[in-house]
Amino acid sequence: MSFNTFGKFFRFTTWGESHGPAIGCVVDGCPPNVALKQEDIQKELNKRKPGQSKFTTQRKEDDKVEILSGVFEGKTTGTPISLIIYNKDMRSRDYETIKNKFRPGHADFTYFKKYGIRDYRGGGRQSARETASRVAAGAIAKKVLEKKIGKKYKVVGAVTQLGILGCDVTRWNDKEIGKNPFFCPDKKIIKLWEKYLLAIRKSGSSCGAIIEVRARGVPVGLGAPIYAKLDMDLASAMMSINAVKGVNIGSGMNSAQLTGEENSDEIISKGKNIKFKSNKAGGILGGISSGQEIIVSFAVKPTSSILSSRKTIDKFGKNTSISVKGRHDPCVGIRAVPIGEAMMHCVLLDHYLMNKAQCGN
Amino acid sequence: MSFNTFGKFFRFTTWGESHGPAIGCVVDGCPPNVALKQEDIQKELNKRKPGQSKFTTQRKEDDKVEILSGVFEGKTTGTPISLIIYNKDMRSRDYETIKNKFRPGHADFTYFKKYGIRDYRGGGRQSARETASRVAAGAIAKKVLEKKIGKKYKVVGAVTQLGILGCDVTRWNDKEIGKNPFFCPDKKIIKLWEKYLLAIRKSGSSCGAIIEVRARGVPVGLGAPIYAKLDMDLASAMMSINAVKGVNIGSGMNSAQLTGEENSDEIISKGKNIKFKSNKAGGILGGISSGQEIIVSFAVKPTSSILSSRKTIDKFGKNTSISVKGRHDPCVGIRAVPIGEAMMHCVLLDHYLMNKAQCGN
Amino acid sequence: MSFNTFGKFFRFTTWGESHGPAIGCVVDGCPPNVALKQEDIQKELNKRKPGQSKFTTQRKEDDKVEILSGVFEGKTTGTPISLIIYNKDMRSRDYETIKNKFRPGHADFTYFKKYGIRDYRGGGRQSARETASRVAAGAIAKKVLEKKIGKKYKVVGAVTQLGILGCDVTRWNDKEIGKNPFFCPDKKIIKLWEKYLLAIRKSGSSCGAIIEVRARGVPVGLGAPIYAKLDMDLASAMMSINAVKGVNIGSGMNSAQLTGEENSDEIISKGKNIKFKSNKAGGILGGISSGQEIIVSFAVKPTSSILSSRKTIDKFGKNTSISVKGRHDPCVGIRAVPIGEAMMHCVLLDHYLMNKAQCGN
Amino acid sequence: MSFNTFGKFFRFTTWGESHGPAIGCVVDGCPPNVALKQEDIQKELNKRKPGQSKFTTQRKEDDKVEILSGVFEGKTTGTPISLIIYNKDMRSRDYETIKNKFRPGHADFTYFKKYGIRDYRGGGRQSARETASRVAAGAIAKKVLEKKIGKKYKVVGAVTQLGILGCDVTRWNDKEIGKNPFFCPDKKIIKLWEKYLLAIRKSGSSCGAIIEVRARGVPVGLGAPIYAKLDMDLASAMMSINAVKGVNIGSGMNSAQLTGEENSDEIISKGKNIKFKSNKAGGILGGISSGQEIIVSFAVKPTSSILSSRKTIDKFGKNTSISVKGRHDPCVGIRAVPIGEAMMHCVLLDHYLMNKAQCGN
């Protein structure tokens, strides 16, 4: 069982509610003797932090992380690493008016029906605030993999579609991603996205997004068939992110439309190197990494917290309507980029370690 | 760890290779006192069986299942149920010519690189033959859920896209599905699909497909946030099926293109009944079932075993080419329908049981 | 995998080192709607707290616990409960002199050999300080079981042997246990134990102990054969406590010396009640609770931190000797009583919840 | 969850009832490329086989094992190894007379109360027949460890106490063990045991036993604190064996009576070698192997199937009495020796593999 724990070998357990005193996680299974400082984690958290542009929620959080255990004299010891982030800019009063109503498209309804109780303030445990813990855990996984695999190991995520506007992924440029507020890899579309999202924000509406995460330098052989396949675990990891509704590996859903000739990536050998002529597989064959770039994309639905009035019921079963005011995020998908990267790091480290044990070498 | 085990509470462990003496599985965590006979399982296996139409592989297998344990006087006892299916129509010689080559798009390459050894006959452990065990396990899960939930519980799967040809899901008709060799729910498109697939088969090529699985009568409250969400487990389950490259829940990847207004399903109360005005969520909110129909779809890539010659390497790293003769499956996706249904049953039962324990009632 | 997580369904993950800023745990799988306050946990922690009598270590710790998540308006919500206890009375300097030496009988040697690094201050992660987290988790489990089962549910632990001096368990009196510094259930032996332990303390030596934990009101049917037997999990739980070297269920190791007639507990029915004429089984048959009192006992070895000089090596492999000064605990076993009780609560709740799911009712 | 699965990484799932068509297990997580033949497993099974001497049950079983998967051309492939043993000498009629009665000291009562149904024939799933699967799995683990560690790796088990008669373990002689029907390591006591057990058998009574299992050549560093300690897993493993009621590591329960001076094993360095002056710890410190011989002992209670009439109830709650006729085992403990060895192999391989992943080297 692992309700609030992610991973099999490199595991993190998250805890905390949006408006509780703090959130945090315990990272277990981290190998010893890896250099780790607070800043390594803080750097990644800063990419996810709310309130960084007009396109994301205006909640202001420092998201300052503290390491409470598992690191001694600047190195991991192999014991659990406990991380804590105190909550600051909470306005629980904002939620008083909706505390008895279920927001359509939200987990309000299902949490209440399941547990018979929920912390409604800011979404409580449902809140995407929980993902800060994942980013922190991912920062640790990244450090470990950079040590074990070396600098060729790199994970990079980007938004490739914003609402109805896709970018051109053949123009993907890593360096562009950090320079715009959308984590967009295609310089040419940024202006258009800006106008589009401003319009959505003004209207009090919201839109979805597609995020693509690529991992380079991943060794061949990670993934354990049949039921710990690398693509299973990646699909599961991405689907666990709030508001995600679909996951693709490589050509993904589009692969249905391809022929066998188009879809299967031919293999050629050049001296000692093995090359693939294409990467429809997204770097995974039979659930095992092939050594190619691993490519995962996922769709984030539009946030359900919108200005227009929507029909719903309250917790007593009565019909009513709801309209969400206060701080507003027109496209929650944007902030999912560092989360997707973090989940990629965690899944890969998990499988990296597992692979050691599987082959017993 | 669960390399060859699926599920958390209702668990099945599969074993066996395509050309070994037998395949099978052990089902653990099945509640006691559920009526179960060999025929309950056989009936589902017959839907997956190869060689049933000219559109699927010509391998002939009875797929006759035997129950070796866990059932006493016609009822489950709560102890592990061991199932065995003997392999029959094996032509291992067919594979001699390709035993040292890696088929592009196949797991041949990654299995060999990972383990340094593989049973190449018929794909060995990589073969979709393993999925017979899943269908068997799913048949048991179905029996349990039918007893626990009642007859309103129903899972039905269908092919909704064949290669480039989608069907019209608004014409979905349960009764149609079993009447055509494609498990197609839309009567109007069948003729077209027939022509299309015959053409593909003649050319020795192959195509992909999209399968949609719907579950009705699922109680509200199944799914355990944050890391045992129902949609995580469904995504993982479907991604574990051979050749699957993408998974959608409800509006899935398309949800990126929707606005908040379009996407969030309004809730209305009619007397004691709660209704949703739409089902973009696919029956899952915040990882928990909402009581609506659960809708999952997934893409199966075209099989890589095609007639045309493809560049590849052999296990010694030399360039060569490959062209797969022998029994041929123009669209493996078709046979994924009962597998998708089985995985749906298994995931739902797993969560049904888990939910009992979570709330402790 | 569960390096720092205990339990299958009701799970707690502990973290923290003896001389780090804090220790704590995350409790996952706690059912919702159970009343829980800080004091419920504090009360149990106070029983384990060091520095309470001259017979235990003189380290002074408030062991004040804070609840960081999972409780809303005085009730559990079904989400993870994060608990933190700040460390206070740390004298890391005491450990400088032994930082490169391995204490015989301690985990110093094995931790260093395994991880190549360790936080030596106060034993770091090896320290029994970690058990405060278990006691906290156990306090939560107790609250849940008292709600689910009712007041007839009761767990009580005691020291039944102190070094070479066993007490007479036929004189076991629950009320006596809290009145003496040894958690002794037999009033008559207390004076003797006092003299004995003072002598040991004066000489700078140490002694072992046997702790017995009894659970009453446990329903029949908890425990899942074959590999989640209740006695397996109890043995594992008790063996996980620092310094424990042996575990008995019911007549335990002594059962080897009994005949079949002596050992098997006859069953009689009185009206609607089922009674057993004896309880050699310790309340567990075939790994499943029988409804009788569950009786577990375990031996705690004498602490290895003693005054006399002992031969050892340092981390460079050189022969040296060691003698431990500073705060000294002549019998660590005494403080193991609340820990044993806590582990009993946790195992029983785990199985209580599992049983709901197993039978699916 | 792992009701019928043992292990974390090297895992085996057992299935089957005493009087069903077959029993067996699926071994998962076995590293690839290890030579394995049917005889490697058969050899170990033959040591456990019933009907080998007048001191064990007269049920005649070939216990012939078949390998159904996971081995290709004489080597493991890293995929699951399915093993099957058909049941032969079943006399289900013997059990008709007791099918509605609960044998005191047996799991009859608790299985029925838990599941509401049970296969009563020969004890069904409760039967020690299940342990044949463990011995088979252990034979595989042994092969893997002999390859990975080398020939210095050796596990040897023996009976050290038979009823009230202990042997002298200082006279332990590996070679003696296989030469007598008791697996006794001490030549001098054999004659006495023979007389003693014959007397017990004649009287239709039964006696318990203590089994000790020693593992040599185990590398330092196996075991994962805090909740996957090697001693936890060994205690759990041995406690899972039918009829076991107590487990000791090293000096075990006796450690309560020792002083710190007596108990802590001094360490000395001789050139590059590290030696311990004693082994009270049984080779485990802080839950991690120290490189010393690992010593585990456990008590098996006397079988409850005895000739004398015992009070009990039937499944309708009525008082009655029972007396077990038919095939009779005066000391089931004797046959636990190969089972204890098998569990030792499995736990050690599990930790050996885990350790690879933990340190990530």
Side-chain angles (χ1 to χ4, degrees):
Chain A
M1 289 303 130
S2 51
F3 305 142
N4 292 280
T5 299
F6 184 83
K8 297 186 185 78
F9 217 96
F10 176 82
R11 298 163 66 86
F12 62 86
T13 302
T14 73
W15 55 268
E17 284 83 43
S18 180
H19 288 213
I23 60 165
C25 67
V26 183
V27 175
D28 200 4
C30 181
N33 279 307
V34 177
L36 181 69
K37 331 188 264 296
Q38 189 269 352
E39 300 91 81
D40 295 318
I41 303 171
Q42 195 62 56
K43 201 171 59 186
E44 302 295 324
L45 277 171
N46 291 347
K47 288 166 72 178
R48 195 211 70 102
K49 224 165 55 173
Q52 301 198 101
S53 85
K54 55 193 166 193
F55 302 112
T56 55
T57 177
Q58 295 309 300
R59 177 169 172 168
K60 292 273 188 289
E61 285 288 354
D62 284 348
D63 277 358
K64 200 163 175 312
V65 68
E66 287 172 54
I67 302 174
L68 294 174
S69 68
V71 177
F72 184 60
E73 298 178 343
K75 288 191 170 168
T76 60
T77 59
T79 61
I81 302 169
S82 177
L83 303 173
I84 193 168
I85 298 168
Y86 284 94
N87 288 327
K88 294 207 169 143
D89 186 20
M90 303 164 289
R91 303 187 198 162
S92 302
R93 241 169 316 157
D94 286 7
Y95 296 88
E96 277 296 311
T97 57
I98 59 163
K99 75 183 228 188
N100 290 327
K101 292 179 181 180
F102 302 126
R103 288 167 294 174
H106 257 268
D108 296 345
F109 175 71
T110 50
Y111 264 72
F112 185 75
K113 286 290 176 187
K114 183 181 184 81
Y115 296 114
I117 184 176
R118 71 184 177 97
D119 177 352
Y120 56 81
R121 300 163 310 161
R125 182 73 183 149
Q126 313 159 37
S127 167
R129 186 139 184 73
E130 184 267 352
T131 58
S133 294
R134 307 182 186 211
V135 171
I140 296 174
K142 182 183 174 185
K143 288 288 291 183
V144 177
L145 284 167
E146 282 175 357
K147 184 183 172 185
K148 299 287 177 191
I149 296 177
K151 285 298 174 184
K152 71 178 169 172
Y153 172 72
K154 190 178 180 187
V155 168
V156 57
V159 175
T160 58
Q161 182 162 327
L162 191 78
I164 55 171
L165 300 172
C167 80
D168 182 347
V169 288
T170 66
R171 285 201 299 256
W172 180 296
N173 181 350
D174 279 6
K175 287 174 189 155
E176 204 51 55
I177 297 168
K179 292 183 185 160
N180 65 77
F182 308 105
F183 296 106
C184 177
D186 168 15
K187 196 174 178 174
K188 288 208 178 161
I189 202 141
I190 295 172
K191 279 262 142 53
L192 189 57
W193 281 13
E194 211 169 296
K195 279 184 201 164
Y196 175 72
L197 199 55
L198 277 175
I200 286 191
R201 191 177 150 235
K202 266 189 193 158
S203 68
S205 183
S206 64
C207 72
I210 292 179
I211 283 83
E212 185 168 313
V213 183
R214 301 176 172 190
R216 300 170 195 142
V218 177
V220 65
L222 307 193
I226 306 288
Y227 297 112
K229 286 176 170 171
L230 186 54
D231 37 7
M232 278 177 79
D233 285 356
L234 285 169
S236 178
M238 300 313 174
M239 197 60 95
S240 77
I241 301 172
N242 309 50
V244 170
K245 299 302 283 183
V247 183
N248 286 337
I249 307 291
S251 48
M253 295 304 292
N254 290 333
S255 60
Q257 305 189 36
L258 304 177
T259 64
E261 289 79 2
E262 290 164 331
N263 187 67
S264 63
D265 309 307
E266 290 181 297
I267 316 173
I268 41 177
S269 156
K270 285 196 172 168
K272 289 225 158 182
N273 289 327
I274 292 165
K275 299 252 172 198
F276 291 80
K277 290 183 77 178
S278 52
N279 189 9
K280 294 295 197 308
I284 301 175
L285 289 168
I288 304 172
S289 65
S290 66
Q292 283 196 283
E293 190 174 50
I294 290 178
I295 301 175
V296 179
S297 58
F298 55 91
V300 179
K301 70 176 184 186
T303 179
S304 321
S305 302
I306 47 177
L307 207 62
S308 17
S309 173
R310 308 281 295 158
K311 286 186 180 151
T312 191
I313 58 170
D314 63 19
K315 66 188 224 187
F316 313 104
K318 294 217 169 123
N319 285 308
T320 179
S321 69
I322 199 164
S323 153
V324 179
K325 275 133 198 163
R327 298 182 293 206
H328 175 68
D329 217 337
C331 180
V332 286
I334 294 172
R335 286 174 60 211
V337 172
I339 306 165
E341 290 175 344
M343 296 310 280
M344 177 68 91
H345 288 302
C346 290
V347 170
L348 291 175
L349 177 54
D350 206 20
H351 277 277
Y352 179 87
L353 295 174
M354 262 201 285
N355 191 48
K356 296 281 171 194
Q358 275 178 279
C359 296
N361 297 321
Chain B
M1 289 303 127
S2 50
F3 303 143
N4 293 281
T5 300
F6 183 83
K8 296 184 185 77
F9 217 95
F10 177 82
R11 299 161 67 87
F12 63 85
T13 302
T14 74
W15 55 268
E17 283 84 43
S18 180
H19 288 214
I23 61 165
C25 67
V26 183
V27 174
D28 200 4
C30 182
N33 279 306
V34 177
L36 182 70
K37 338 187 261 295
Q38 191 269 350
E39 301 90 82
D40 296 318
I41 304 172
Q42 196 61 54
K43 199 172 59 183
E44 302 295 324
L45 277 170
N46 291 347
K47 287 166 71 177
R48 196 211 70 103
K49 226 165 57 172
Q52 302 197 99
S53 87
K54 56 192 165 193
F55 302 111
T56 56
T57 177
Q58 295 311 299
R59 178 170 174 167
K60 292 271 189 289
E61 286 288 353
D62 284 346
D63 277 358
K64 200 160 174 316
V65 69
E66 287 171 54
I67 301 174
L68 295 173
S69 67
V71 178
F72 183 60
E73 298 177 344
K75 287 193 171 169
T76 61
T77 58
T79 62
I81 302 168
S82 178
L83 303 172
I84 193 166
I85 299 167
Y86 284 93
N87 289 325
K88 295 209 168 140
D89 187 21
M90 301 164 290
R91 304 189 195 160
S92 302
R93 240 170 316 157
D94 286 5
Y95 296 88
E96 276 297 311
T97 56
I98 61 163
K99 74 183 231 190
N100 291 327
K101 292 178 182 180
F102 302 125
R103 288 168 294 174
H106 256 270
D108 296 346
F109 175 72
T110 51
Y111 264 73
F112 185 75
K113 286 290 176 188
K114 182 180 186 82
Y115 296 115
I117 184 174
R118 69 184 178 97
D119 177 351
Y120 55 82
R121 301 164 308 162
R125 182 75 182 147
Q126 311 158 40
S127 167
R129 185 140 183 73
E130 183 267 350
T131 58
S133 294
R134 305 180 187 213
V135 172
I140 297 174
K142 182 184 175 185
K143 289 288 289 182
V144 178
L145 284 167
E146 283 175 354
K147 184 182 175 190
K148 300 287 176 188
I149 296 178
K151 283 297 174 186
K152 69 179 170 171
Y153 173 73
K154 188 177 183 190
V155 168
V156 56
V159 175
T160 57
Q161 182 162 326
L162 191 80
I164 53 170
L165 300 172
C167 80
D168 182 348
V169 287
T170 66
R171 286 200 298 254
W172 179 297
N173 181 349
D174 279 6
K175 287 175 190 155
E176 204 50 57
I177 297 168
K179 294 184 186 160
N180 64 78
F182 308 107
F183 295 105
C184 177
D186 168 16
K187 197 174 177 173
K188 289 210 176 159
I189 202 139
I190 295 172
K191 279 261 141 55
L192 189 58
W193 281 13
E194 209 169 295
K195 280 185 198 163
Y196 175 72
L197 199 55
L198 277 175
I200 287 192
R201 189 175 151 237
K202 266 191 191 155
S203 68
S205 183
S206 64
C207 72
I210 291 179
I211 284 83
E212 186 168 312
V213 183
R214 300 176 174 191
R216 299 170 197 144
V218 177
V220 65
L222 307 193
I226 306 288
Y227 296 111
K229 286 177 168 169
L230 185 55
D231 38 7
M232 279 178 77
D233 285 356
L234 285 168
S236 177
M238 300 312 174
M239 196 61 95
S240 78
I241 301 172
N242 309 48
V244 171
K245 299 301 283 184
V247 183
N248 286 337
I249 307 292
S251 47
M253 294 305 290
N254 290 333
S255 59
Q257 304 189 36
L258 303 177
T259 63
E261 287 80 3
E262 292 164 329
N263 187 69
S264 62
D265 308 307
E266 289 181 295
I267 316 173
I268 39 177
S269 158
K270 284 195 175 170
K272 287 224 161 185
N273 289 327
I274 291 165
K275 296 252 172 196
F276 291 81
K277 291 184 74 177
S278 53
N279 190 6
K280 295 294 198 309
I284 301 174
L285 289 169
I288 304 172
S289 65
S290 67
Q292 284 196 280
E293 190 175 52
I294 291 178
I295 302 174
V296 179
S297 59
F298 55 90
V300 179
K301 69 176 185 185
T303 179
S304 321
S305 302
I306 48 177
L307 206 64
S308 20
S309 172
R310 307 283 294 159
K311 287 185 179 155
T312 190
I313 59 172
D314 64 20
K315 67 187 223 187
F316 314 106
K318 292 218 170 125
N319 285 309
T320 179
S321 69
I322 198 164
S323 151
V324 179
K325 275 130 199 163
R327 300 184 289 208
H328 174 67
D329 217 339
C331 179
V332 286
I334 294 171
R335 287 176 58 214
V337 172
I339 307 165
E341 289 175 344
M343 296 310 279
M344 178 68 91
H345 288 301
C346 290
V347 171
L348 290 176
L349 178 54
D350 206 19
H351 278 276
Y352 179 87
L353 295 173
M354 260 200 285
N355 191 49
K356 296 281 172 198
Q358 275 178 281
C359 296
N361 299 320
Chain C
M1 288 305 129
S2 51
F3 304 142
N4 291 279
T5 299
F6 184 84
K8 296 187 184 76
F9 217 95
F10 177 82
R11 298 162 65 86
F12 62 85
T13 303
T14 72
W15 55 269
E17 284 83 42
S18 178
H19 288 212
I23 61 167
C25 67
V26 183
V27 174
D28 201 4
C30 182
N33 279 307
V34 178
L36 183 69
K37 334 186 264 300
Q38 190 268 350
E39 300 89 84
D40 294 319
I41 304 171
Q42 196 62 54
K43 201 172 58 186
E44 300 296 324
L45 277 170
N46 291 347
K47 286 165 72 177
R48 196 211 70 103
K49 227 165 53 172
Q52 301 197 102
S53 85
K54 57 193 165 191
F55 301 112
T56 57
T57 176
Q58 295 310 298
R59 177 170 173 168
K60 291 275 188 289
E61 287 287 354
D62 283 347
D63 277 359
K64 200 164 173 313
V65 68
E66 287 172 55
I67 301 175
L68 294 173
S69 68
V71 177
F72 185 59
E73 299 177 342
K75 286 190 171 169
T76 61
T77 60
T79 62
I81 303 169
S82 177
L83 303 173
I84 193 167
I85 299 167
Y86 284 94
N87 288 326
K88 294 207 169 142
D89 186 21
M90 301 163 290
R91 304 188 195 161
S92 302
R93 239 168 318 156
D94 286 6
Y95 295 89
E96 276 298 310
T97 56
I98 60 164
K99 76 183 229 188
N100 291 325
K101 293 180 181 178
F102 302 125
R103 286 168 294 174
H106 258 268
D108 296 347
F109 175 73
T110 51
Y111 264 72
F112 186 76
K113 287 291 175 188
K114 182 180 185 80
Y115 295 114
I117 183 175
R118 70 182 177 100
D119 176 350
Y120 55 81
R121 299 164 309 161
R125 182 74 181 149
Q126 311 159 36
S127 165
R129 185 138 184 74
E130 184 267 349
T131 57
S133 294
R134 307 180 185 212
V135 172
I140 297 174
K142 182 185 174 184
K143 287 289 290 183
V144 177
L145 285 167
E146 282 175 355
K147 184 183 173 186
K148 300 287 178 191
I149 297 177
K151 285 297 176 186
K152 69 178 169 173
Y153 173 72
K154 190 177 182 190
V155 168
V156 57
V159 175
T160 57
Q161 182 162 328
L162 190 80
I164 53 171
L165 300 172
C167 80
D168 182 348
V169 288
T170 66
R171 285 201 299 256
W172 179 297
N173 181 350
D174 280 6
K175 287 177 190 154
E176 203 52 55
I177 298 169
K179 292 184 186 162
N180 65 78
F182 308 107
F183 296 104
C184 176
D186 168 16
K187 196 174 178 175
K188 288 209 179 161
I189 201 139
I190 295 173
K191 278 262 142 54
L192 189 58
W193 281 13
E194 209 169 296
K195 278 185 201 164
Y196 175 72
L197 198 56
L198 277 175
I200 287 194
R201 189 175 152 236
K202 265 190 195 157
S203 68
S205 183
S206 64
C207 71
I210 291 179
I211 284 83
E212 185 168 313
V213 182
R214 301 176 173 191
R216 299 170 196 144
V218 177
V220 64
L222 306 193
I226 308 283
Y227 297 113
K229 285 177 171 171
L230 185 55
D231 39 6
M232 278 178 78
D233 286 357
L234 285 169
S236 178
M238 299 313 172
M239 197 59 96
S240 77
I241 301 172
N242 310 50
V244 171
K245 300 301 284 183
V247 183
N248 286 338
I249 307 291
S251 50
M253 295 302 292
N254 289 334
S255 59
Q257 304 188 37
L258 303 177
T259 64
E261 288 79 3
E262 292 163 330
N263 186 66
S264 63
D265 308 306
E266 289 181 295
I267 317 175
I268 40 178
S269 158
K270 285 197 175 169
K272 287 222 159 187
N273 290 326
I274 291 165
K275 299 251 172 197
F276 291 81
K277 291 184 75 177
S278 52
N279 190 7
K280 293 295 198 308
I284 301 175
L285 288 169
I288 303 172
S289 64
S290 66
Q292 283 197 280
E293 190 175 52
I294 291 179
I295 302 175
V296 179
S297 58
F298 56 90
V300 179
K301 70 177 184 184
T303 180
S304 320
S305 301
I306 46 176
L307 206 66
S308 17
S309 174
R310 306 284 294 161
K311 285 185 180 156
T312 190
I313 59 171
D314 63 21
K315 67 188 223 188
F316 314 104
K318 293 218 170 122
N319 286 309
T320 178
S321 70
I322 198 164
S323 152
V324 179
K325 275 129 198 166
R327 299 183 290 207
H328 174 69
D329 218 338
C331 179
V332 286
I334 295 173
R335 287 176 59 213
V337 172
I339 306 166
E341 290 175 343
M343 297 310 281
M344 177 67 90
H345 288 301
C346 290
V347 170
L348 290 176
L349 177 55
D350 207 20
H351 277 275
Y352 179 87
L353 295 173
M354 262 200 285
N355 191 48
K356 296 281 172 195
Q358 274 179 280
C359 296
N361 299 322
Chain D
M1 288 305 129
S2 49
F3 304 141
N4 292 281
T5 300
F6 184 83
K8 297 186 185 77
F9 217 97
F10 177 83
R11 296 162 69 86
F12 62 86
T13 302
T14 73
W15 55 268
E17 283 83 44
S18 180
H19 288 214
I23 59 165
C25 66
V26 184
V27 174
D28 200 3
C30 182
N33 280 306
V34 177
L36 182 70
K37 338 186 260 295
Q38 190 269 351
E39 301 90 82
D40 295 319
I41 303 171
Q42 196 61 55
K43 200 172 57 184
E44 302 295 326
L45 276 170
N46 292 347
K47 287 165 74 176
R48 196 211 72 102
K49 228 167 49 174
Q52 301 197 98
S53 84
K54 57 193 163 189
F55 301 112
T56 56
T57 176
Q58 295 310 301
R59 177 169 172 167
K60 290 273 188 289
E61 286 289 353
D62 283 347
D63 277 358
K64 200 164 174 311
V65 68
E66 287 172 53
I67 301 175
L68 295 174
S69 67
V71 177
F72 185 58
E73 298 177 345
K75 286 191 172 170
T76 61
T77 59
T79 62
I81 302 168
S82 178
L83 304 173
I84 194 167
I85 299 167
Y86 284 93
N87 288 326
K88 297 207 167 142
D89 186 21
M90 300 165 291
R91 304 189 196 159
S92 303
R93 239 170 319 159
D94 286 4
Y95 296 89
E96 276 297 312
T97 56
I98 61 164
K99 76 183 227 188
N100 291 325
K101 292 179 184 180
F102 303 125
R103 288 168 293 174
H106 256 270
D108 296 346
F109 175 72
T110 52
Y111 264 73
F112 186 75
K113 287 288 176 187
K114 182 179 186 81
Y115 296 115
I117 184 175
R118 69 184 180 96
D119 177 350
Y120 56 81
R121 300 164 307 162
R125 182 72 182 151
Q126 312 158 38
S127 166
R129 183 136 186 76
E130 184 266 352
T131 58
S133 294
R134 308 180 186 212
V135 171
I140 297 174
K142 181 184 174 185
K143 289 288 289 184
V144 177
L145 283 167
E146 282 175 357
K147 184 183 173 187
K148 300 288 178 189
I149 296 177
K151 284 298 174 186
K152 69 178 168 172
Y153 173 73
K154 190 177 182 189
V155 168
V156 57
V159 175
T160 57
Q161 182 163 326
L162 191 79
I164 54 171
L165 298 173
C167 81
D168 182 347
V169 287
T170 65
R171 285 201 298 255
W172 179 295
N173 182 350
D174 279 6
K175 288 176 190 154
E176 204 51 54
I177 297 168
K179 293 184 187 161
N180 64 78
F182 309 106
F183 297 104
C184 177
D186 168 16
K187 196 175 179 172
K188 290 209 177 161
I189 200 138
I190 295 171
K191 279 262 143 52
L192 188 57
W193 282 11
E194 212 169 292
K195 279 184 200 164
Y196 175 72
L197 198 55
L198 278 176
I200 287 194
R201 192 179 149 233
K202 264 188 195 161
S203 68
S205 182
S206 63
C207 72
I210 292 179
I211 285 83
E212 184 168 315
V213 183
R214 299 176 174 191
R216 300 169 195 145
V218 177
V220 64
L222 307 192
I226 305 288
Y227 297 112
K229 286 176 169 170
L230 185 55
D231 37 8
M232 277 177 79
D233 286 356
L234 285 168
S236 177
M238 300 314 173
M239 197 61 94
S240 76
I241 301 171
N242 310 48
V244 170
K245 299 301 282 184
V247 183
N248 287 336
I249 308 291
S251 47
M253 294 304 289
N254 290 333
S255 59
Q257 305 189 37
L258 303 177
T259 63
E261 288 79 2
E262 291 163 331
N263 187 68
S264 63
D265 308 306
E266 290 181 295
I267 316 172
I268 41 178
S269 157
K270 282 197 174 169
K272 289 224 160 183
N273 290 327
I274 291 164
K275 300 251 173 196
F276 291 80
K277 292 184 74 177
S278 52
N279 189 8
K280 294 294 197 308
I284 300 175
L285 288 167
I288 304 171
S289 65
S290 67
Q292 283 195 282
E293 191 174 50
I294 290 178
I295 302 173
V296 179
S297 58
F298 56 90
V300 179
K301 70 177 183 184
T303 181
S304 320
S305 303
I306 47 176
L307 206 62
S308 19
S309 173
R310 306 282 294 159
K311 286 186 178 150
T312 189
I313 60 172
D314 63 19
K315 67 189 223 187
F316 314 106
K318 293 217 172 123
N319 285 311
T320 177
S321 69
I322 198 163
S323 149
V324 180
K325 275 130 198 163
R327 297 183 292 208
H328 174 69
D329 217 339
C331 179
V332 287
I334 294 171
R335 287 176 58 213
V337 172
I339 306 165
E341 289 174 345
M343 295 311 278
M344 177 68 91
H345 287 302
C346 290
V347 170
L348 290 176
L349 177 54
D350 206 20
H351 277 276
Y352 179 86
L353 295 173
M354 261 201 284
N355 191 47
K356 295 282 172 196
Q358 276 178 279
C359 296
N361 298 321

